[in-house]
Amino acid sequence: MPGSEGKFDFAIDRGGTFTDVFAQCPGGAERVLKLLSHDPQHYRDAPTEGIRRILEQETGRVFPREEPLDPSLIGWIRMGTTVATNALLERQGARSALLVTRGFKDLLHIGTQARPLLFDLEVRMPELLYDEVIEVDERVVLKQDGCQLPPRDTESTHIGSTGEAVSVWRSVDLVQVEADLRGVLSRGITSLAVLLLHSYTWSVHEEAVGALAERLGFQQVSLSSRVMPMVRAVPRGLTAAADAYLTPRITEYLQGFTEGFRGGLEGVRVLFMQSDGGLTPMAQFSGARAVLSGPAGGVVGYAMTSYSQEDGQPIIGFDMGGTSTDVSRFGGQFEHVLEATTAGVPLQAPQLDINTVAAGGGSRLFYRSGMFVVGPESAGAHPGPACYRKGGPLTVTDANLALGRLLPSFFPHVFGPGEDEPLCREESLRQLSALTARINAGQPQSGATGGMSVEEVAMGFIRVANEAMCRPIRALTQAKGHDTSRHVLACFGGAGGQHACAIARALGMKTVLIHKYSGVLSAYGLALADVVEEAQEPCACRYETQSFARLDERIEQLTQRCMDALRKHGFSSAQVSCEVFLHLRYDRTDCALMVSARGYPSSAQSCHAGDFRSAFMDRYLKEFGFTIPERPIVVDDIRVRGCGRSGVTTQNMTPNKQGPPRVTTVTQCYFDSGYLDTNVYLLEDLSYDHNITGPALIIDKNSTVLVEPGCEAELTAGGAVRLSVGSGAPWALDTRLDSVQLSIFSHRFMSIAEQMGRVLQRTSISTNIKERLDFSCAVFGPDGGLVSNAPHIPVHLGAMQETVQYQLRALGASLREGDVILSNHPSAGGSHLPDLTVITPVFRPGVAGPVFFVASRGHHADIGGVTPGSMPPHSTSLRQEGAVFTSFRLVTGGQFQEEAVTAALMAPAQYPGCSGTRNLQDNLSDLRAQVAANRRGSQLVGELIDSYGLEVVQAYMGYIQSNAELAVRDMLKEFARRHRQQTGYLQVQAEDHMDDGTPIRLCVQIDEQEGSAVFDFGGTGPEVWGNCNAPRAITLSALIYCLRCMVGQDIPLNQGCLAPVSVLLPPGSILHPSPEAAVVGGNVLTSQRVVDVILRAFGVCAASQVSGGRTRPYGLNGNPSAFAHLSLLNLEFCAFPSPAIHRSHVFSEPAPMGALTSHPSLPASNLLTLSINLSGGEPGAPGLNLLRRADGRVINLGAKTSVNLEPGDVFCLHTPGGGGCGEEEGGESGGPRATQQRDPRPFLERGSLYDYRTAQESV
């Protein structure tokens, strides 16, 4: 690795707990150092201290801590830092203000309504990053042909950078802006974020405001059009706000860092790692691109050291730390995402797709309702695991220590109150013994003689942790059409080496690579990284011949900009390479891919930069399983990534030592077969000709690698440990309950449902399923009972079970292998007609009937009926709402019945005023995608049965259902006890009303001894003349959702949740309507009222929708910015096809939309009645739909209507407020969650998998 001649070069990763330092010394020697990131008693700054220590040790000179270091000894410094990430997590950024287009002051506060935790009743929105909001009197809109609004006197038209025409309705009032900004400065705020609508294409107003702010003395001005010029105002604005919030903190840190050197590091090349995996000069390091600065170094490290260009085998990066695990993929190119959420803030900037999950060495161990649970809670750095001697809880680290897989004698003595003691294995064993006793007392049915041993319990937690970490790896690979087993696992981080063999074996991988610097790989990756300069601008043209000249021109200009910037950093033209990306999507879809033309040379039918059409279609086919050849391709953005090759390469070879590997000691490690003698080797004693057979431990200064039985280890020429993973001994399992296997099977069943969902999303074509993710997938037992439902759509949670069980009753023994059933009728367990459920029975040789069922339910945008979209506001009968399927054989003998299903989808046209489906091809494509998802689920169920046997899999299916039942019974018992003590009764009741006055009444009678309850909806109003009727499946979905929320812990979603309860629904009521009743509104409106009534009866929280009623201090109060079960569309993107202009988006005021010409249908609820309140809290305000006619009239539209809008009309939507929650007498609520302890700062996942899940749960 060549460095700066005669000087020291440093690559430093400043993490949250430890700072890792890699140094190349004059002469080529390498040094590695790890120290605490915060140790104010000994040093002010960890990176500076690391440099000082190495300089002292290597030169023999003394460098006093109180004096600045001599930079003349240093060639370059490269750093990754968590300063920005920590400031965002802890909300410790700079005070800032947001300047936004008038009418949109609450736009970023309201956000997209994505919910990080679906079942958390206390929806906690992310804290705002800015202190003040200034509204700017300006407005720019996209110019639309055929606009009938009267022109404004001052209106002017301009062409934006995307080629789109914009109309300036109102120029920016800089005089007023200056007065407002001076007021902000007077209050001590010197950082400003600017978000003006449509500035991504026409930034003149933002530029003018930015220039004014800089002239007035603002130290940081972040314009959304500069930070990330992409369409979609909310993520662009949040990114600008994060940049204004974080950059001053980064600047402060950099100033402090440079003060530790004489002359402020003059003459030293200082580079910082950005979130995209590229280095940038210190002066250009900014907040919005810094949040993954630390983890990005690790990705670069394993990519550059583990990937082989010769065989092209892709790599999975597995970085297991103390609190969490980072998972990523490298297949020859870095995988980037353009938007991801960190600490609750969506950031729109190029960043490596690093997925963080709550499983690390510090993840806590629990035994809950008969299951082994690992995380997501973490012991953190303080107090840390139990073995740290600071009173910490049991963790994964303690389990490894108890099993002999960590040896205290090889760890530094830095633990205990004085930070001078070794790890304490005795404390780990003491706490594990106490937990083992509790586990054995709670499982008398296990049949195990004497119960589980301490080692068996510790091993069980390790196996559960491993399975939890396998799930995101499967999801990351299979979501993009890759086979997980064909990857190499690159393991790094302090804790990863202890789990590498088990993780690889579970995923079917044969090889694990662990670099010699795996404990400090993020720092080492910094030394290998390139300097990166990126340029990006929006575009709005089709990828077609007429656009190629313009695309080539823009690509050339962006390329030149990157080349010039890298030359200024000292790179020659030979050291610089540029790669062009186009952000492409099919017309009329929102599923864009950032595509490179690498490997696709230009042709006569492409632009000069490459054949992007072929590259896009090949990638689309790979990820989604199909293409749409006849549909135009749209270019959303042009991006050029320039790389300045650093010249730093890996060269060090491992010396060849004579003789067999030296065994340092022999210890006892526990494995599935018991304690085994395990050789211990020091990495520094090994050479590349040594082979080590497991079990063994390989230890270096920063990590421990466990070589499990059946695996072999060897050293590569570069010093990395290569593990060859054997299949391992088959796990002997019978039908008796094993608590460890219960947890593992729960993960496996849930993984099957998740993988089905990924296949459905990949292979579907409609916006609803592919992009809005409006679908659910589930696995069912032979009785049709729900086994596992990925937590997709709340209203689907319990409904599909009703559908499957109906088919069993209706079709029974006539089901054959190769059959697939389609159903949507409310009487057959359907929710509403657009939700089409596809059911596949799973058969096994020698078994007469189905052994399992898999099913997928997807919302189809149109299936016919009286109005487009199949959501008519005024339907009065089921036939008006579209095509009806009760037990339709969609596939027979493996043949898709296209002709028959087409006829059925067109059948509504026979009814007066109705039409058949208006999107037949989308319907057929999505139905095929649902069949494909079920096929994948059936395959995975088959593989599970092949591994364990049918009897075992079905037995654990029952145990998982019983586990969910136990959790619900425990909750009901605890609620009954508390409620009886407070009131003397075991009965609760509640009532709410629909907007037409129809009552929904509930009386719950609870059996405290059994933990059961009868939910009696007697007294509920009759079936209504309209479509707010809710079939039985809807009430069951609402109930299972509420029970899961009230349990307050992660339990499987299955029929066991409903086993302790009986539901009484009066026939002929709005909750049990006749078979031909209209139900489309009941799915989305009545379902919410049912949820409100159940939660009110239990005293858990007040009514939903936008929360707003004023409340007393206690309990789950209203949140003024949180919607219930609703996501919001992007107002800038909606401006493209919509004939309407969004006028404002605020709290406590109308949100008007100025119409050009439109015919909206408005299903809404809680508009005429006050939202229910609790315990003396005040009711929320009702909602209101107003129409302001162009002639000045104001009309109340009521709750549901369909109305023609004329040019100049304004529609105003006032969302209802949520009821408030007061304090019961005695100061305590009887609600099930009243005493539940809440983590004030819960673990926050990150990455594309997290964003995918929250997007789906927000549908």
Side-chain angles (χ1 to χ4, degrees):
M1 178 184 289
S4 305
E5 188 173 346
K7 294 190 176 184
F8 291 85
D9 296 325
F10 295 93
I12 305 171
D13 175 38
R14 183 186 185 275
T17 304
F18 290 103
T19 291
D20 300 333
V21 182
F22 169 83
Q24 185 175 28
C25 307
E30 296 175 353
R31 289 289 311 276
V32 171
L33 179 69
K34 185 182 287 282
L35 67 162
L36 291 171
S37 293
H38 299 278
D39 192 357
Q41 294 181 341
H42 298 100
Y43 46 82
R44 184 180 63 84
D45 177 68
T48 307
E49 173 66 12
I51 293 173
R52 188 193 69 80
R53 291 183 185 181
I54 289 177
L55 289 178
E56 279 194 344
Q57 294 165 8
E58 289 296 316
T59 65
R61 295 165 50 186
V62 175
F63 295 89
R65 285 197 178 101
E66 61 276 7
E67 295 181 10
L69 290 173
D70 180 7
S72 65
L73 300 172
I74 301 171
W76 49 252
I77 299 173
R78 300 176 171 198
M79 280 186 62
T81 175
T82 58
V83 169
T85 311
N86 292 340
L88 197 59
L89 285 168
E90 300 165 7
R91 293 301 193 261
Q92 295 294 318
R95 294 184 65 205
S96 60
L98 172 68
L99 192 149
V100 69
T101 300
R102 183 169 298 283
F104 297 89
K105 65 178 182 179
D106 298 316
L107 178 65
L108 302 189
H109 190 182
I110 296 171
T112 63
Q113 294 296 304
R115 290 183 64 172
L117 299 170
L118 176 61
F119 300 108
D120 191 344
L121 291 172
E122 186 177 359
V123 181
R124 293 183 286 180
M125 305 297 287
E127 299 172 37
L128 296 177
L129 301 183
Y130 45 86
D131 295 80
E132 295 188 23
V133 180
I134 303 170
E135 292 189 278
V136 181
D137 214 7
E138 67 86 43
R139 191 62 200 269
V140 175
V141 301
L142 292 180
K143 187 174 180 61
Q144 300 189 42
D145 295 333
C147 175
Q148 300 177 39
L149 288 175
R152 285 158 170 74
D153 294 337
T154 59
E155 183 174 339
S156 59
T157 301
H158 307 269
I159 302 299
S161 62
T162 61
E164 299 166 294
V166 298
S167 293
V168 178
W169 281 7
R170 198 162 50 246
S171 297
V172 62
D173 183 354
L174 291 176
V175 174
Q176 183 59 49
V177 171
E178 180 172 352
D180 292 336
L181 290 180
R182 288 188 183 277
V184 170
L185 284 170
S186 69
R187 292 184 286 277
I189 297 176
T190 59
S191 188
L192 181 70
V194 183
L195 170 64
L196 302 182
L197 295 186
H198 299 296
S199 61
Y200 68 92
T201 183
W202 197 75
S203 60
V204 173
H205 284 180
E206 278 199 357
E207 297 287 351
V209 170
L212 172 62
E214 290 172 351
R215 178 170 60 81
L216 292 176
F218 279 87
Q219 296 177 7
Q220 175 63 37
V221 179
S222 298
L223 306 182
S224 74
S225 55
R226 288 182 187 169
V227 174
M228 181 46 64
M230 294 180 68
V231 68
R232 298 174 67 216
V234 170
R236 187 174 78 252
L238 287 169
T239 304
D243 194 68
Y245 184 74
L246 298 175
T247 300
R249 289 290 176 260
I250 289 176
T251 302
E252 291 173 9
Y253 174 75
L254 296 181
Q255 289 174 345
F257 175 66
T258 56
E259 288 172 0
F261 299 85
R262 254 182 305 185
L265 287 171
E266 185 71 29
V268 177
R269 300 191 302 277
V270 183
L271 300 169
F272 275 78
M273 176 61 77
Q274 299 184 110
S275 301
D276 63 358
L279 297 165
T280 191
M282 181 168 60
Q284 298 178 18
F285 191 48
S286 65
R289 295 178 178 247
V291 292
L292 296 185
S293 175
V299 176
V300 174
Y302 83 74
M304 301 297 288
T305 59
S306 302
Y307 182 77
S308 169
Q309 294 284 354
E310 287 74 22
D311 61 33
Q313 190 170 10
I315 311 292
I316 291 293
F318 179 73
D319 180 5
M320 186 176 178
T323 302
S324 60
T325 295
D326 287 342
V327 175
S328 56
R329 180 181 183 277
F330 183 82
Q333 286 183 298
F334 291 113
E335 297 191 353
H336 291 100
V337 292
L338 292 182
E339 183 180 330
T341 300
T342 299
V345 180
L347 297 178
Q348 201 177 49
Q351 49 200 293
L352 293 172
D353 188 11
I354 301 173
N355 290 271
T356 301
V357 295
S363 293
R364 296 179 59 184
L365 311 181
F366 303 96
Y367 182 70
R368 291 172 174 162
S369 301
M371 290 185 72
F372 282 50
V373 179
V374 178
E377 298 89 342
S378 173
H382 182 81
C387 58
Y388 280 19
R389 301 178 182 266
K390 293 183 179 180
L394 272 177
T395 67
V396 172
T397 296
D398 293 298
N400 276 313
L401 183 62
L403 297 173
R405 300 175 174 202
L406 295 175
L407 302 181
S409 59
F410 289 89
F411 273 73
H413 291 197
V414 293
F415 304 100
E419 298 184 350
D420 55 359
E421 299 179 75
L423 288 171
C424 184
R425 186 169 185 260
E426 292 73 19
E427 178 61 19
S428 298
L429 290 171
R430 186 189 70 78
Q431 291 199 31
L432 274 168
S433 296
L435 181 57
T436 300
R438 186 163 69 85
I439 291 171
N440 288 331
Q443 50 173 211
Q445 73 278 26
S446 67
T449 304
M452 299 180 73
S453 67
V454 170
E455 290 83 0
E456 288 171 333
V457 168
M459 190 69 187
F461 279 115
I462 294 297
R463 295 179 64 205
V464 171
N466 290 341
E467 184 61 34
M469 289 182 286
C470 286
R471 275 176 64 184
I473 297 175
R474 292 191 189 102
L476 182 66
T477 52
Q478 294 169 0
K480 297 181 179 179
H482 304 296
D483 184 346
T484 308
S485 65
R486 296 182 181 275
H487 291 68
V488 171
L489 188 68
C491 195
F492 57 106
Q498 297 137 47
H499 298 259
C501 289
I503 294 288
R505 181 182 289 121
L507 294 170
M509 298 178 178
K510 302 301 182 185
T511 304
V512 177
L513 286 174
I514 304 176
H515 195 268
K516 67 176 180 179
Y517 293 138
S518 63
V520 294
L521 195 61
S522 290
Y524 189 62
L526 293 169
L528 307 178
D530 296 325
V531 179
V532 169
E533 186 73 29
E534 286 212 0
Q536 180 171 326
E537 67 176 33
C539 186
C541 69
R542 290 184 173 182
Y543 188 80
E544 57 190 10
T545 304
Q546 298 91 313
S547 303
F548 290 160
R550 179 169 177 267
L551 285 173
D552 287 332
E553 178 186 356
R554 302 309 304 154
I555 289 170
E556 178 60 31
Q557 291 181 7
L558 295 177
T559 301
Q560 194 60 47
R561 189 192 306 175
C562 292
M563 296 281 289
D564 292 344
L566 289 170
R567 289 192 191 102
K568 289 180 180 178
H569 300 326
F571 292 96
S572 66
S573 296
Q575 293 176 296
V576 174
S577 64
C578 289
E579 187 168 10
V580 179
F581 298 84
L582 296 184
H583 203 202
L584 302 174
R585 60 181 172 86
Y586 281 119
D587 194 20
R588 304 193 311 278
T589 74
D590 192 25
C591 190
L593 299 175
M594 188 64 79
V595 176
S596 164
R598 180 188 295 183
Y600 295 85
S602 61
S603 67
Q605 288 75 42
S606 75
C607 58
H608 294 326
D611 186 359
F612 285 92
R613 178 186 299 277
S614 297
F616 171 75
M617 294 183 73
D618 285 355
R619 173 139 171 234
Y620 204 93
L621 181 65
K622 176 74 173 177
E623 293 201 17
F624 304 127
F626 68 95
T627 59
I628 319 174
E630 70 281 358
R631 190 170 295 187
I633 297 173
V634 177
V635 184
D636 278 343
D637 302 276
I638 305 169
R639 173 180 165 221
V640 176
R641 180 178 175 88
C643 293
R645 305 297 175 189
S646 62
V648 177
T649 57
T650 55
Q651 290 184 338
N652 291 311
M653 305 294 288
T654 302
N656 186 1
K657 299 179 180 179
Q658 300 298 317
R662 187 172 74 87
V663 178
T664 300
T665 186
V666 178
T667 188
Q668 289 269 302
C669 287
Y670 187 88
F671 299 94
D672 290 333
S673 57
Y675 279 106
L676 298 176
D677 287 340
T678 303
N679 291 339
V680 178
Y681 304 89
L682 297 183
L683 183 62
E684 62 191 30
D685 292 339
L686 303 179
S687 69
Y688 67 85
D689 62 337
H690 287 153
N691 286 279
I692 296 170
T693 301
L697 292 174
I698 301 175
I699 298 175
D700 73 354
K701 297 177 181 178
N702 299 302
S703 62
T704 297
V705 177
L706 174 68
V707 185
E708 293 195 1
C711 302
E712 292 187 355
E714 61 178 342
L715 258 66
T716 67
V721 176
R722 179 188 287 118
L723 297 173
S724 298
V725 181
S727 58
W731 181 258
L733 192 64
D734 57 30
T735 57
R736 291 176 297 177
L737 174 63
D738 180 288
S739 295
V740 176
Q741 286 296 331
L742 179 65
S743 301
I744 292 173
F745 268 98
S746 179
H747 279 290
R748 293 294 296 272
F749 279 123
M750 184 65 76
S751 180
I752 292 172
E754 290 171 346
Q755 291 182 63
M756 290 174 63
R758 283 296 194 170
V759 171
L760 178 52
Q761 189 261 346
R762 282 182 51 231
T763 57
S764 62
I765 193 172
S766 70
T767 299
N768 267 2
I769 295 180
K770 178 174 287 294
E771 293 155 23
R772 292 190 60 245
L773 308 179
D774 194 347
F775 64 82
S776 289
C777 297
V779 180
F780 304 84
D783 62 349
L786 179 64
V787 178
S788 181
N789 193 141
H792 293 152
I793 311 298
V795 80
H796 293 174
L797 291 180
M800 277 199 287
Q801 172 177 300
E802 292 279 299
T803 306
V804 177
Q805 291 177 335
Y806 179 92
Q807 304 310 320
L808 262 178
R809 293 192 299 269
L811 302 176
S814 69
L815 287 171
R816 296 287 183 269
E817 188 166 6
D819 288 350
V820 179
I821 308 304
L822 171 62
S823 181
N824 69 346
H825 198 291
S827 297
S831 45
H832 64 172
L833 296 187
D835 283 342
L836 298 183
T837 304
V838 174
I839 304 161
T840 302
V842 181
F843 291 86
R844 294 290 289 182
V847 182
V851 297
F852 278 91
F853 291 86
V854 291
S856 55
R857 175 170 288 182
H859 184 103
H860 289 239
D862 193 292
I863 56 167
V866 295
T867 62
S870 300
M871 293 284 288
H874 296 308
S875 56
T876 57
S877 67
L878 192 66
R879 65 179 60 180
Q880 295 175 328
E881 297 178 353
V884 178
F885 302 91
T886 303
S887 298
F888 183 90
R889 291 182 189 267
L890 181 64
V891 178
T892 302
Q895 296 297 312
F896 186 83
Q897 303 299 304
E898 181 171 343
E899 184 176 342
V901 74
T902 297
L905 287 166
M906 301 307 297
Q910 65 186 293
Y911 302 115
C914 295
S915 166
T917 178
R918 301 160 184 89
N919 292 321
L920 176 61
Q921 293 308 313
D922 281 11
N923 294 136
L924 295 175
S925 296
D926 286 349
L927 286 172
R928 286 191 177 93
Q930 289 179 257
V931 171
N934 288 8
R935 187 183 304 117
R936 177 59 176 163
S938 179
Q939 175 189 346
L940 292 170
V941 169
E943 291 175 0
L944 195 62
I945 295 172
D946 289 340
S947 298
Y948 294 96
L950 178 59
E951 288 187 356
V952 170
V953 174
Q954 289 188 335
Y956 275 90
M957 171 202 73
Y959 294 144
I960 290 170
Q961 292 170 332
S962 298
N963 174 257
E965 176 184 346
L966 175 63
V968 173
R969 288 190 186 275
D970 288 345
M971 181 274 292
L972 290 172
K973 288 178 182 179
E974 174 62 17
F975 172 79
R977 181 190 65 78
R978 292 172 52 82
H979 193 72
R980 176 178 50 78
Q981 290 176 349
Q982 294 174 14
T983 67
Y985 299 101
L986 290 176
Q987 179 177 297
V988 294
Q989 56 190 17
E991 179 177 340
D992 195 6
H993 296 81
M994 301 297 291
D995 283 353
D996 62 2
T998 300
I1000 297 178
R1001 296 192 177 101
L1002 171 64
C1003 178
V1004 185
Q1005 186 70 42
I1006 305 173
D1007 186 323
E1008 183 178 357
Q1009 299 302 315
E1010 294 291 328
S1012 61
V1014 176
F1015 286 72
D1016 187 354
F1017 287 88
T1020 291
E1023 177 182 319
V1024 298
W1025 179 253
N1027 56 30
C1028 283
N1029 301 293
R1032 170 183 168 83
I1034 293 297
T1035 300
L1036 295 181
S1037 292
L1039 180 55
I1040 196 172
Y1041 171 77
C1042 292
L1043 292 172
R1044 169 62 181 83
C1045 290
M1046 291 188 291
V1047 166
Q1049 67 187 46
D1050 191 15
I1051 63 171
L1053 288 166
N1054 57 49
Q1055 74 169 8
C1057 295
L1058 294 177
V1061 305
S1062 300
V1063 182
L1064 303 179
L1065 298 172
S1069 70
I1070 191 175
L1071 301 183
H1072 197 320
S1074 61
E1076 295 306 312
V1079 298
V1080 70
N1083 183 67
V1084 293
L1085 304 181
T1086 310
S1087 61
Q1088 191 63 64
R1089 297 283 71 75
V1090 174
V1091 168
D1092 291 341
V1093 169
I1094 296 172
L1095 296 180
R1096 186 187 189 191
F1098 281 84
V1100 175
C1101 69
S1104 50
Q1105 279 290 358
V1106 180
S1107 307
R1110 289 174 296 171
T1111 59
R1112 294 182 182 178
Y1114 135 81
L1116 301 184
N1117 300 321
N1119 184 326
S1121 61
F1123 287 79
H1125 311 138
L1126 177 69
S1127 58
L1128 299 180
L1129 298 175
N1130 166 53
L1131 60 94
E1132 279 183 336
F1133 197 79
C1134 287
F1136 287 106
S1138 172
I1141 303 299
H1142 206 105
R1143 291 260 297 274
S1144 64
H1145 202 68
V1146 296
F1147 295 135
S1148 305
E1149 297 177 29
M1153 180 177 289
L1156 305 181
T1157 173
S1158 187
H1159 187 87
S1161 296
L1162 306 172
S1165 183
N1166 244 24
L1167 295 179
L1168 306 181
T1169 59
L1170 296 176
S1171 297
I1172 54 178
N1173 56 317
L1174 282 178
S1175 308
E1178 297 186 20
L1184 185 63
N1185 288 328
L1186 293 180
L1187 175 60
R1188 295 180 182 173
R1189 290 291 191 187
D1191 59 11
R1193 290 178 297 151
V1194 178
I1195 303 170
N1196 185 340
L1197 298 177
K1200 294 190 302 176
T1201 192
S1202 180
V1203 60
N1204 284 308
L1205 300 181
E1206 300 297 330
D1209 289 348
V1210 176
F1211 169 62
C1212 300
L1213 170 64
H1214 297 247
T1215 53
C1221 184
E1223 185 173 354
E1224 291 192 9
E1225 293 184 10
E1228 187 175 42
S1229 166
R1233 291 163 54 92
T1235 60
Q1236 183 176 334
Q1237 295 297 314
R1238 293 185 56 81
D1239 183 357
R1241 191 170 297 281
F1243 174 83
L1244 294 172
E1245 297 176 71
R1246 179 185 62 210
S1248 61
L1249 300 179
Y1250 167 79
D1251 289 332
Y1252 170 87
R1253 195 189 76 237
T1254 55
Q1256 185 158 41
E1257 292 178 359
S1258 299
V1259 174

